[in-house]
Amino acid sequence: MRIPYAVPRNVFEAYKCSDETMRLSSERDRSIRAEDEFWDEKNVTSLKVLALSVIASTWKDNPILEELPTCEDRDMLMEILPIDLPFKLVITKIEDEQYWERCSRNRWEHNNPADHGDSWRQLYCEGHLCEYLENFEPSYFESQQEKCEETIQLVQNYVHTLVLRTLRPTKKRTKFFDDEDPCVVEEEPVHHIPFAIILPQLPHLTEIRINFEVVYMNDGFEWRDFEFSVEDCMALGKGIHACPKLRKFTLSRSNLDQPRAAALLQGILGNEHIEEIDFSHCKLGDKGAYAIGEFLRVHKNLKIIHLANNDIGPEGVSGIMNGLLKREDSILKHLNLKLNPLLDDGVVHVCAYLLRKDSLEVLDLSACGITADGGAALAEVFGSGSLSFETFSLDVSNNDFNETVGEAFEAAFESTPFIIGFAARMCNFSEQSELSIYENVLRNRKNRKKEEARRMILRQMGKGHLKNDNDLLPST
């Protein structure tokens, strides 16, 4: 592809000569004016450019590209080809990234190909499918299923991430009349598009982010637009089960409660490739947390789970910890429980887990209603010398601690080399304790980097793993 030569107009304005400069005699007699953007307006258009213009204007009826004799001709055609051509035609004919960049910038204001495999074609296909599904009316899916499947087949090889910010619910209602009381009316549950049919047709999916709610509320807004059914969760679980490359699943800011979570997790359980799940800002509660605990006990490869703001209390966190403790192997690396009312009783269950398992690397307990007693228990666990983590990051921000708890953490971290991250904002620690904790964590980070560098050198030299600081010293 040729280097793009289009220059924005503001660049010409920035480098434009002033009126005083233009009145100089040397400027008046200058024959070459590089800043003149209209220098070629009077030039006669070449026959090749005219021919390519005709091909571009009739490309919809005669889509030729590879038939052009040179790469230069094909590049020029991609620069002038209209971007309003039928998607069904261009997706099968055009691979040129610059053309898809033009289409994306014309359709959306914000575009970041880095989030889409550094491919403008992938960005456009993923955005096209997401908009299509977001605007699909599920009440008429059966009548439009063939068209929906045709659209999916066009983009299925280029869709790796599916981000659905909103989904339209069914509006159709069924009335049931009681024989004794003919005025009894019952509404049909809210349903959405059947993911059990859609997701299996996307074999390259690695990430799914779904939000079961409406974003833009019009005159026909109803509160039921924010609901979704257990059947939706069952269909979504079946669809996820059929995605062999899926690694991350997100369902946040929804009415996901225990029955819906159980129906969803039953399908996700069959997909052993998922490594990260995000259920933040839902309504799991303690009962939903027990379902999460059972899921964590059985699933083989889950490493990261986000459960922020789910109204999980001490009973719920005990179910999660029991599920993790029942596993023979420890694989969970990241656990996010922030904004849940765990209280001091919940922290006790967390401490029991930390003393028995050593796989966790990141733990977020910020804004969990923990008081000084719970903070002291955490500090005592980290200062006990019974933990054997390789690395660990802890966030306990916005909890009702005091200076005594800060001093306890300060004393614990002086002899805890694996702590490489610690956040305690708004915890009422003294400045001295905060400074000392920060210095200890910073020291651990530096030591960790040095250790990793030593291990890398030893691996390159074929001497195995580093055992102590004397391994790099010359032998005598």
Side-chain angles (χ1 to χ4, degrees), residues 30-59:
R30 183 160 56 92
S31 58
I32 299 178
R33 298 182 179 274
E35 73 279 7
D36 184 10
E37 56 182 303
F38 305 106
W39 66 273
D40 61 344
E41 279 192 343
K42 297 181 180 180
N43 292 353
V44 178
T45 306
S46 66
L47 183 60
K48 176 189 288 188
V49 174
L50 292 174
L52 289 173
S53 300
V54 173
I55 293 175
S57 62
T58 60
W59 202 81

Side-chain angles (χ1 to χ4, degrees), residues 445-461 466 472:
R445 288 179 185 173
K446 292 181 178 179
N447 293 338
R448 179 67 182 174
K449 290 181 179 179
K450 291 180 180 179
E451 183 180 354
E452 290 177 352
R454 292 191 187 101
R455 290 182 177 180
M456 183 178 297
I457 293 174
L458 290 177
R459 281 196 298 268
Q460 293 175 352
M461 297 174 60
L466 181 66
L472 292 180

Side-chain angles (χ1 to χ4, degrees), residues 260-280:
R260 291 169 176 80
L264 177 60
L265 293 173
Q266 186 177 3
I268 298 178
L269 188 61
N271 191 333
E272 298 180 353
H273 302 283
I274 293 182
E275 298 179 351
E276 181 175 354
I277 290 180
D278 189 349
F279 287 154
S280 298

Side-chain angles (χ1 to χ4, degrees), residues 48 85 135 174 187 249 295 307 312 314 329 339 473:
K48 176 189 288 188
L85 294 171
N135 296 314
T174 304
E187 293 184 354
F249 172 69
F295 175 79
L307 301 173
I312 299 175
D329 56 341
L339 296 173
L473 297 176

